[in-house]
Amino acid sequence: HRDLHSFPTRRSSGSASLKRIKGYQVEYSKDEDFSDSKTVLIKSLEDLSKFVGKLKSGKQYYVRIRVCVKVKKEKYYFEWSEVRILRT
């Protein structure tokens, strides 16, 4: 199983309530500058391991994640986490 402990899982001390968190946006790329990046929205941090399991094995990816919050009918995104290198 792949090690996901390096991803930030602490909740922000911002003003958004946990009920408003609608998911996490994950951006990943084979290039460090994210020039060919792809973005997926996952519902929970538990789904992150399922997402990683679908990546091609034997590759290196640059990954960052951010929280998606819904306030009224608008979606807002927190800042991106630090970029992590993920080896599958």
Side-chain angles (χ1 to χ4, degrees):
H1 213 20
R2 295 171 180 91
D3 183 20
L4 298 177
H5 296 288
S6 61
F7 283 95
T9 57
R10 59 190 151 93
R11 292 184 170 87
S12 172
S13 60
S15 61
S17 74
L18 295 179
K19 291 179 182 179
R20 292 183 177 168
I21 293 178
K22 294 300 173 191
Y24 300 87
Q25 190 176 34
V26 180
E27 185 176 27
Y28 64 101
S29 174
K30 291 182 184 177
D31 295 326
E32 190 173 3
D33 62 358
F34 286 87
S35 61
D36 69 339
S37 68
K38 295 181 182 177
T39 306
V40 295
L41 187 65
I42 58 173
K43 298 274 185 189
S44 67
L45 289 174
E46 289 79 26
D47 291 339
L48 184 59
S49 61
K50 294 177 188 176
F51 160 74
V52 171
K54 294 178 181 180
L55 296 175
K56 292 182 182 179
S57 62
K59 302 287 182 182
Q60 176 174 297
Y61 294 93
Y62 295 89
V63 181
R64 58 187 177 182
I65 189 170
R66 65 182 176 178
V67 174
C68 175
V69 177
K70 191 170 186 179
V71 178
K72 297 187 180 179
K73 294 184 179 183
E74 288 288 323
K75 283 187 182 179
Y76 296 95
Y77 295 94
F78 282 62
E79 290 185 24
W80 287 111
S81 68
E82 291 181 24
V83 175
R84 306 291 179 171
I85 297 173
L86 177 67
R87 293 178 178 88
T88 56

